[in-house]
Amino acid sequence: MKQSLNPSPSNLDKLFPFELDGFQKEAITALAERKSVVVCAPTGSGKTVIGEYAIYDALEMGKRVFYTTPLKALSNQKFRDFQDKFCPEINQDKKSPVGLITGDIVINANASIVIMTTEIFRNMLYQTPIGQVGTSLENVATVILDECHYISNRDRGTVWEESIIYCPPTIQLVALSATIGNPKDLTNWINQVRKTAPGIDLKTDEVSLCKLINSDFRPVPLRFYFSSKTGLSPLLNQKQNALNPCLKSKGQQNKKRRLKREDCPGLMTVIRQLYKQDLLPAIYVIFSRRGCDQSVQRLDGLTLVSPEEAHTLQYNLLTFFLSKNLPLQESLLQAVQIENPLLYEPLLNFLSNPSYDADLFDCFRKDGETKTHLFQLLAKNCQLVRGDQLEPLTRGIAAHHAGILPVWKELVEQLFEAGLVKVVFATATLSAGINMPARTTVISALSKRTDSGHSMLTPSEFLQIAGRAGRRGMDEVGYVITVQTPFEGSKEAAHLAMADSEPLQSCFTPSYGMVLNLLQKHTLDEAKHLLERSFAEYLAQLKLEPEQRNIASLTTELTKVDVDLAGLTETDLFTYEKLKARLKEEQRLLKILQQQAEKTHKQEISPQLDKLNLGDILYLKGKQLKSSRPHLAVLVAIVPGSGKSHDYLCLGEDNYWYRVKRGDVVDISGTSLPLNLVKELNLPDLDILPFGKSHKGDENFVKIRNQISDHAFSLKIAPEVIKQQQRVAQIQEKLDSHPLAQQKNPTRLLKLHRQRLKLREQLHISHVKFHKLQSRQSYYWEEFLNLIDILREFKAFSGYEPTTLGQACAAIRGENELWLGLVIMSGSLERLESHHLAAVVSALITETLRPDTWTNYLPSQEILDFFNYSDEEEVSLKEIRRLLFQSQSRYDITIPVWLELELTGVIEQWALGTDWQELCKNTSLDEGDLVRLLRRTIDLLSQIPQIPNISSYLKSSAKDALTKLKRFPI
C-alpha cells in the first residue's frame, strides 16, 4: 500500500504499524537528522525497515533514492516488494515510482526509487568526477547499500569499495550489514573517505557522515539443537555459553572414534524429528545442488501439508502455470483427453472458470494418482519445471538452488513465505538476503567444498544461515538444528554457535575498467589518492600504527640499555659470556669424570667391604649424606640391613653419627683405631636412627674424634679428573683477569647484554613486519601501474590517455575489459550473423567448465574459424589471447581471460529458435546454469550498442541477437 506520510520520527507509528526496536529507532533518528548510518544487525532483525524509512523521507522531500543489492535475484525481489509497498493502488495510469536496473533488465530507470545491483551503481559513478554529482545522480538524496558485508566478497568486494569511495559525500548513505566483527572500522573508513573526497570543504559543504548503529538484538532469539539418531537435544547448556554436558563424549575411546554413516541420523529421521516437534516450515541447508535434488526424491510419498494446504497449493500451481497461457492449456487438455479421459471435463471446467472450489480438486481428493498424473503431464508440456520438482511441491517439499530456473525459484519462495511449502532443501546461497524466513534452519554439515578444498564454515557463514530461523510475529524462538555426521559433531557445532563474527576484510583489486575509467576523469596522482582511500589501505594503516608504536617503544628501551652498557665493547661482553659458558661446561664435564672415577673405585674396593673390622677408617659419600665432599669416619658397628646386606654405623670426624649402606663407602684407609676405644662408645638407638647424617655425639667423643682426624688420608684422584681440574682452573684464571671482571656487577652487565640482543631481534622482526605491511599498502598502486603498462602494450593507452580501444574497454562491464574490448574492436565481429555473434560473446564470458560438462551441440565451424582467422595484416584472436596471457603473467596479473568454445553451440541453437526442453536435453547444464549463461551473454550483448566507435552493423547485429535470446524462460 502506498504511504504518503510525513516521515518524522514522531509519525513512525503511522508509517510502521508495529513497535520498532531500539536500534531501528536510533537509526531513524540519525536519518531524520540527515546523517548517514552504518547498521550492523543480525540476519532477520529488521534492517530493511531503516531502508524503507530513508525512502519515505526522500520521497517526502521530492527526492530520489537508489537501493543497491549485490545480487540480481535480490534486486528482483526488492523490486516486487517495493512495488507492493510504494505503488499507488488507485489511478493505474499514474507512472510507478519504482524502477529496476540489473544489466539485462531496465524498467523505469528514471523512477523515484530505483533498485539496482551495486555494479550498476558503480558504473554510474564512473561517469562523473569523484565527489561530484553527475546527471545520473541528479536529485538523488539517499543511496541504500543493502548486504554491505559483501565488501568482504572475493568477487564483488571491489565494486562495493569503489561505490563508497566514488559516491558524493553530500548524498546520504545507508549501509545495511549483517553482524560483523569490526563495525567501527567500516564506519570510520567510510567517514574518512567522505571527509577526504576531492573538492570537499568540510567548513562549507554539507558532508553526510555516518553514525554506527551496532546491534546484536534478535527479535526472534535463536535456540540451537543437535540431531542424533537418539533424537533432538539442546546443543548448549542453560546459560547458552558452553556445550550441553549431555552431548560430551564419554571417555577417550568415544572421543577418538569416527562415527560410521549408519550411526548418524538419516534425512527421514531428521524430518520426522522436525515434524514431531512441530518445527516446520524449515530450510534444510545442503551444500550441493545434487544433494538438494536427491533429498527431495528421498522423501517420495511423504506429505507434509494438510488437506486444506494441499488444496491451496494445487490451486496456486495450476493458476501459476495455466493462467493466460492458452497454448499450454490446449496441449494439457489434449494430453488428458488421451491419457485420462475422466479428468478431461473437470479440467476443462476449471480452465473455463478457475475457481478454488472447482470439481477438479474433488477428483484429486478422491484419487491421489489422478493428481500426480495431471501434474506430471503439466510438467511434461510446459518448459518451466521438471516432473520430479513439481509433484513433490504439491506435498510441501521443494529444492532451491542456482541450478533451478529463476522463475521457479521465485514461485518456491512465495509459496514458502505463504506457509504452503514445509521443507526447502537449499544451498547456502539462500542466506544471501533472499527473504524466506522459516521456523527452523537445519544445517546438514559444518564443512563444505570450496575452491581451495574442503573447509569448515566460518562463524559468519554459520550465523548467516542460522539467522533465517524465526519468523517475526509468528515464532517466539527460531530453531537452528545441526546434524551429527561422521566428520562433525556437537563440539564443532557448539563452537560455531558461540563464536563471534570475524572482521570484514578487504578484497580490493584494481581492474582494467577501473584504470581506464579513473584516468578518463582524473590525473595519475588523483587516481593514486583514490586508491589510497580504499578499505584495504585503511585496514593496512590500522595494522601499521601499532607496529610503529611497537618500534618506537623497543627503540626507547634499547637506548636505555645502551646507556647502561656505555664504555663496554661488544667484544668484551661477548668473550666474557663465552668464557662463563665454557667454564660451566668444563665444570659439568669435571663432575661427570669425578662420578665415573668414584664409581670405578667403588667397584675396586667392593671386595674389601666384606673384610671390614670395627675401628677401620673410611670415607663416606652418598645420596643420604647430602654433601658433595667425602666424610672421614670410623666404623663403630655393623648392623643388619635390608635383605642380605649390612648397614654400617659410623662416627664422623665432625662428631656426627652416620648410618650408611655399602654403596656409601667410597674409600678405605687401611688403618684402624684401637678396638677397645671403639667399644667404649655409647651407641645410639639403632631402631630410631635414620639413614644418612643423624644427631651429634656427646662431649666424651672428643678424644676419639681427634684420633679419627689423625688418621686422615688423601683420596686417590684419577688422572683424567686431575687433567680436567687443571682445565677448569685455567678458564677460571682467564675469567678473573678479564676486563669485565673488574666491573662492579658483571652478572648484571651480562643480563643487560642479553636483553639488548633480544631487543635488537624484536626490533628487527618489527621492522620486517612493518615493511611487509607497507609493501601491501603499495601493492595496489603497483598493480594499478602494471595494468597501465599492459594497456599501453595493447594500444589501449597513449601515455595516460585512453585510445579508441581504451574508450571502448572503459565502457564495458566484465571481468577482463581489455580482452573483451580487443575482441569487440577487432573488426572481426562485422563478418558474423547475429546468432554467431551471440555464440562468440558467450565464449568470452563462460568460466572454465567442469570436466563432466557435455553438450550434443558442437561449436559451429564459423565460430572455430572466427577465433583462428589471421592474415598478413592481423594475428588471430587466439594469438592475441596468448599474448595477453603472457603479458599478464609477466606482471603477475591474475585477471581471467575466458575463451570457452564448448557451449557456443548451445547458445547458437537457442538463438536459432530451438525449444527450451530440447535444449536442456542436449546438455549436462542445470536449467539455472543455462539461464545464467544466457543472461550473462545477454548482458554483454546489451552493452555492445553503448560502446563508442562501434559500427552500425555491429550495433544492429547485437540488438538482433538480443531479440533472439530473450525468449521464455530467459
Side-chain angles (χ1 to χ4, degrees), residues 499-518:
D500 294 327
S501 298
E502 58 266 35
L504 277 188
Q505 297 296 325
S506 172
C507 293
F508 187 82
T509 307
S511 65
Y512 294 114
M514 180 192 298
V515 172
L516 288 160
N517 279 285
L518 286 181

Side-chain angles (χ1 to χ4, degrees), residues 537-564:
E537 296 280 348
Y538 178 82
L539 291 176
Q541 187 60 43
L542 286 184
K543 291 177 182 177
L544 277 175
E545 288 172 3
E547 211 55 54
Q548 282 176 313
R549 289 194 296 270
N550 190 41
I551 288 171
S553 174
L554 288 171
T555 304
T556 302
E557 202 173 339
L558 188 58
T559 303
K560 290 178 182 178
V561 175
D562 285 339
V563 170
D564 288 340

Side-chain angles (χ1 to χ4, degrees), residues 216 331 361 431 494 518 571 597 618 639 862 882:
D216 58 2
S331 63
F361 301 109
S431 63
L518 286 181
T571 304
L618 315 170
V639 297
E862 289 87 347
R882 188 190 69 78

Side-chain angles (χ1 to χ4, degrees), residues 579-591:
L579 279 172
K580 289 273 284 185
R582 188 179 168 195
L583 178 63
K584 187 176 180 181
E585 177 60 18
E586 297 295 350
Q587 287 172 335
R588 186 184 70 83
L589 291 173
L590 175 61
K591 186 176 180 180

Side-chain angles (χ1 to χ4, degrees), residues 157-222:
T158 301
V159 172
W160 287 81
E161 289 194 44
E162 287 186 278
S163 297
I164 291 169
I165 293 169
Y166 305 156
C167 182
T170 53
I171 290 178
Q172 188 181 56
L173 210 58
V174 180
L176 306 177
S177 170
T179 306
I180 57 175
N182 55 343
K184 286 185 179 178
D185 290 346
L186 177 63
T187 308
N188 292 340
W189 168 67
I190 293 175
N191 284 336
Q192 179 176 296
V193 163
R194 310 208 107 196
K195 288 176 183 177
T196 58
I200 288 296
D201 186 339
L202 294 174
K203 294 179 181 178
T204 57
D205 295 320
E206 292 185 9
V207 175
S208 181
L209 297 179
C210 285
K211 178 179 181 180
L212 172 61
I213 312 294
N214 190 31
S215 171
D216 58 2
F217 173 75
R218 205 178 275 277
V220 182
L222 297 181

Side-chain angles (χ1 to χ4, degrees), residues 862-880:
E862 289 87 347
I863 302 301
L864 297 176
D865 291 343
F866 173 80
F867 286 104
N868 291 313
Y869 176 81
S870 64
D871 57 26
E872 294 179 358
E873 295 182 3
E874 58 182 84
V875 296
S876 71
L877 288 170
K878 274 196 174 180
E879 177 62 14
I880 290 174

Side-chain angles (χ1 to χ4, degrees), residues 513 517 807-814 816-817 820-821 824 940 943 947:
N517 279 285
Q807 291 169 8
C809 295
I812 297 171
R813 302 185 306 274
N816 192 320
E817 300 88 349
L820 297 175
I824 292 170
L940 183 52
Q943 295 178 51
I947 296 173

Side-chain angles (χ1 to χ4, degrees), residues 329-616:
Q329 290 182 21
E330 290 174 4
S331 63
L332 183 61
L333 280 169
Q334 289 172 6
V336 167
Q337 190 170 26
I338 296 169
E339 299 189 31
N340 195 344
L342 294 176
L343 195 60
Y344 178 81
E345 197 66 33
L347 177 59
L348 181 61
N349 291 337
F350 174 78
L351 294 175
S352 303
N353 180 23
S355 168
Y356 185 80
D357 299 318
D359 293 341
L360 179 64
F361 301 109
D362 289 332
C363 297
F364 292 165
R365 276 190 289 270
K366 292 174 183 175
D367 184 1
E369 290 295 324
T370 298
K371 183 257 312 184
T372 302
H373 186 234
L374 178 67
F375 280 102
Q376 286 175 344
L377 288 174
L378 181 58
K380 184 178 179 181
N381 283 272
C382 82
Q383 297 187 6
L384 187 59
V385 65
R386 302 192 309 265
D388 58 1
Q389 294 172 338
L390 180 55
E391 193 281 327
L393 189 57
T394 66
R395 297 183 278 111
I397 302 165
H400 186 291
H401 54 72
I404 294 171
L405 282 174
V407 66
W408 179 252
K409 283 199 296 183
E410 289 174 13
L411 175 64
V412 170
E413 292 163 15
Q414 292 166 12
L415 293 175
F416 187 87
E417 196 172 348
L420 297 173
V421 176
K422 302 302 180 181
V423 175
V424 167
F425 295 99
T427 53
T429 53
L430 184 64
S431 63
I434 301 299
N435 183 28
M436 276 182 65
R439 175 171 294 176
T440 302
T441 299
V442 181
I443 305 175
S444 64
L446 301 178
S447 61
K448 63 177 181 176
R449 193 179 300 279
T450 65
D451 293 340
S452 55
H454 227 69
S455 62
M456 289 290 289
L457 295 177
T458 66
S460 290
E461 288 172 333
F462 180 84
L463 289 174
Q464 272 286 97
I465 297 168
R468 290 286 155 209
R471 299 165 297 177
R472 190 166 190 164
M474 298 176 68
D475 300 318
E476 292 184 4
V477 169
Y479 297 92
V480 181
I481 314 292
T482 55
V483 181
Q484 175 72 63
T485 74
F487 311 101
E488 306 121 6
S490 55
K491 183 180 177 182
E492 292 81 3
H495 167 73
L496 288 171
M498 295 183 294
D500 294 327
S501 298
E502 58 266 35
L504 277 188
Q505 297 296 325
S506 172
C507 293
F508 187 82
T509 307
S511 65
Y512 294 114
M514 180 192 298
V515 172
L516 288 160
N517 279 285
L518 286 181
L519 293 182
Q520 279 192 115
K521 302 285 183 182
H522 302 276
T523 65
L524 190 64
D525 285 341
E526 288 172 340
K528 184 179 182 182
H529 176 62
L530 288 168
L531 259 68
E532 288 170 350
R533 296 166 67 214
S534 70
F535 191 43
E537 296 280 348
Y538 178 82
L539 291 176
Q541 187 60 43
L542 286 184
K543 291 177 182 177
L544 277 175
E545 288 172 3
E547 211 55 54
Q548 282 176 313
R549 289 194 296 270
N550 190 41
I551 288 171
S553 174
L554 288 171
T555 304
T556 302
E557 202 173 339
L558 188 58
T559 303
K560 290 178 182 178
V561 175
D562 285 339
V563 170
D564 288 340
L565 293 175
L568 297 172
T569 66
E570 292 272 340
T571 304
D572 285 346
L573 289 162
F574 179 75
T575 55
Y576 188 80
E577 185 167 36
K578 292 292 279 185
L579 279 172
K580 289 273 284 185
R582 188 179 168 195
L583 178 63
K584 187 176 180 181
E585 177 60 18
E586 297 295 350
Q587 287 172 335
R588 186 184 70 83
L589 291 173
L590 175 61
K591 186 176 180 180
I592 292 171
L593 290 171
Q594 287 172 333
Q595 289 171 344
Q596 290 173 345
E598 188 178 286
K599 183 178 179 182
T600 302
H601 189 60
K602 278 184 180 182
Q603 291 171 348
E604 291 171 354
I605 67 171
S606 181
Q608 301 176 43
L609 295 178
D610 296 327
K611 303 174 184 178
L612 286 176
N613 296 307
L614 300 184
D616 284 350

